[in-house]
Amino acid sequence: MKTKIFAAAAMLVAGTAFGATVQDVADRYMKSVLAVGVHDASYVDAYYGPKEIQDQVQKEKKGLAAIRADVTDALKDLEGQRAANEDEALRIEFLRKQLGSMLTRIDMLGGQKFAFDDETARLYDAVSPHYDRAHYMKLVGQIDKLLPGKGSVPERLKDFRAKFVIPKDKLKAVFDASIAACRERSAKYIDLPANENFVLEFVSDKPWSGYNWYKGNAQSLIQINTEFPIYIDRAVDLGCHEGYPGHHAYNALLEKALVKGKGWTEFSVYPLYSPMSLIAEGSANYGIEMAFTEDERLAFEQKVLYPMAGIDPSLAKKYAEVLKLTAQLSYADNDAAKNYLEGKWTKAQTIEWLVNVQLAPPEKAEQRIKFYDGLRGYVINYNLGKDLVKAYVLRHVTSKDPEVARQQKWDAFRKLLSSPRLASSIR
């Protein structure tokens, strides 16, 4: 009898409950993600687990009701699980949040609709703040003063931006240089896998500006959309966001630390519409600031990228000032998506807001509507995600010495990129 009691206690410490282990749940989670992907082509953003499992799931082609039942059972098996350390506790919470999010996505595929904030809370574990037009117009007023002249602020901004378009025949050279700089700066603080690499492609007719398709084994395909003009600042933005220390580095570190290091199979699959995306997009956007301080970025762009693109370097400082202000309008994107998706604004009203309030380039407003139609509340992951990641990182900075503080920031950032933390665990 004592032997049985001790064995049962040992099972609890190891993280088992009612016969199912956390690893059992992780394996079922991975299969469920793939099963949802059979019904939703955009759901599985990356998978690099065993091909036979993917083939089996595609052959089975479970219905949504059956998948939902599997996910519900997996959630029940997580109840009562005991974690021996912080990492295991984070793992259990990660699975719980991801599985819960999957239930919402399944319900949406079945036709259920949710209010914008309810949807993002369920899918991404976060809710964006919202502001009225007056809030943003105060910022637009500052840009008005920075760009005096005739015409509306959007018109003047459009004319000013036109000076910073990268010629198409120079795109590859500019992006190659930018990504190389992003990697060099990130590699000083992040121990990337020795074999990591990526392929860069230029594409068109996409609802996004750039995309990282992670292939596993520290390999990525990075695509840049050239359908619309690409401004010089996007080289660093996308180089860091899609590459280093953004999506490519994030996925490579998760694979290295959790899949290969711990055998946590759930991280060999990445469901796009899930809490993972808030951390992925947030860390990719904040990664730009991690790689470059404002002064470092200005110097790099002015001395390297501007001449390479044939753009006047003397304009770089003013352009940086304008971009700093327009970046503060980012939450207007969330408000546009919310009102449009909830049917409060027409397409025309939404485009008017994007152009006149968020000051988006007119030619990209239509593209943004396509993004809302396809990815819905995903928009919050970029700005809210960045703000949550930034706050998490800065909480770990205790030194006033700039170099020590920078090291502390990178230590916290690297820890985040190698862990199962989601929005709830970094607030």
Side-chain angles (χ1 to χ4, degrees), residues 84-294:
N85 52 51
E86 182 189 16
D87 281 353
E88 289 182 10
L90 287 170
R91 183 190 191 191
I92 291 170
E93 180 64 4
F94 172 88
L95 285 167
R96 188 176 72 81
K97 290 284 187 181
Q98 292 286 116
L99 286 163
S101 171
M102 203 185 313
L103 287 179
T104 297
R105 188 63 185 175
I106 291 169
D107 290 342
M108 291 173 68
L109 291 172
Q112 189 169 349
K113 298 185 183 299
F114 299 93
F116 186 85
D117 289 343
D118 189 22
E119 178 183 317
T120 65
R122 289 167 175 266
L123 288 181
Y124 307 116
D125 192 29
V127 174
S128 171
H130 299 290
Y131 304 97
D132 61 16
R133 192 179 187 108
H135 167 82
Y136 298 113
M137 294 314 291
K138 291 178 182 177
L139 294 167
V140 173
Q142 295 180 45
I143 298 169
D144 183 10
K145 294 177 182 177
L146 192 58
L147 295 174
K150 296 180 180 180
S152 67
V153 176
E155 289 170 342
R156 276 177 273 148
L157 181 58
K158 179 184 178 182
D159 291 342
F160 183 65
R161 277 180 169 142
K163 301 174 183 178
F164 303 93
V165 174
I166 306 171
K168 286 201 172 184
D169 64 340
K170 299 181 185 300
L171 279 174
K172 188 177 187 309
V174 171
F175 270 87
D176 283 345
S178 181
I179 293 173
C182 295
R183 186 190 187 283
E184 181 182 4
R185 290 170 172 276
S186 300
K188 292 178 182 178
Y189 302 95
I190 293 178
D191 187 16
L192 294 164
N195 67 314
E196 65 84 16
N197 202 1
F198 66 91
V199 172
L200 178 66
E201 287 184 355
F202 294 97
V203 298
S204 62
D205 194 26
K206 303 293 181 182
W208 35 257
S209 298
Y211 213 103
N212 177 291
W213 304 96
Y214 191 69
K215 303 299 184 181
N217 198 31
Q219 305 298 304
S220 287
L221 168 63
I222 296 176
Q223 293 183 325
I224 306 299
N225 188 1
T226 62
E227 183 177 359
F228 298 108
I230 298 180
Y231 303 97
I232 190 69
D233 55 294
R234 298 299 285 158
V236 167
D237 283 352
L238 292 172
C240 289
H241 183 101
E242 306 298 345
Y244 312 89
H247 293 319
H248 176 65
Y250 173 65
N251 284 292
L253 290 175
L254 283 181
E255 181 181 18
K256 177 183 177 182
L258 302 184
V259 179
K260 295 181 177 179
K262 294 180 178 289
W264 291 0
T265 53
E266 64 267 34
F267 287 93
S268 61
V269 65
Y270 171 21
L272 187 66
Y273 309 108
S274 75
M276 274 189 81
S277 284
L278 184 131
I279 301 300
E281 301 294 359
S283 62
N285 266 359
Y286 185 55
I288 302 166
E289 293 182 23
M290 291 294 300
F292 293 88
T293 65
E294 286 184 15

Side-chain angles (χ1 to χ4, degrees), residues 312-385:
D312 184 357
S314 68
L315 299 173
K317 187 174 181 181
K318 185 171 184 179
Y319 189 45
E321 292 173 356
V322 170
L323 290 175
K324 190 173 182 178
L325 284 174
T326 57
Q328 295 178 50
L329 295 166
S330 71
Y331 278 91
D333 190 26
N334 303 7
D335 292 320
K338 180 180 188 297
N339 285 288
Y340 171 72
L341 293 170
E342 290 183 347
K344 296 174 182 176
W345 292 353
T346 64
K347 180 178 177 180
Q349 288 173 316
T350 308
I351 289 175
E352 185 279 328
W353 172 279
L354 291 172
V355 172
N356 294 315
V357 178
Q358 195 186 0
L359 301 184
E363 70 274 9
K364 297 199 73 173
E366 287 273 359
Q367 181 194 46
R368 204 58 181 162
I369 297 294
K370 292 179 183 178
F371 189 97
Y372 299 158
D373 286 333
L375 283 85
R376 299 183 57 82
Y378 194 91
V379 295
I380 76 158
N381 294 322
Y382 298 99
N383 43 32
L384 181 59

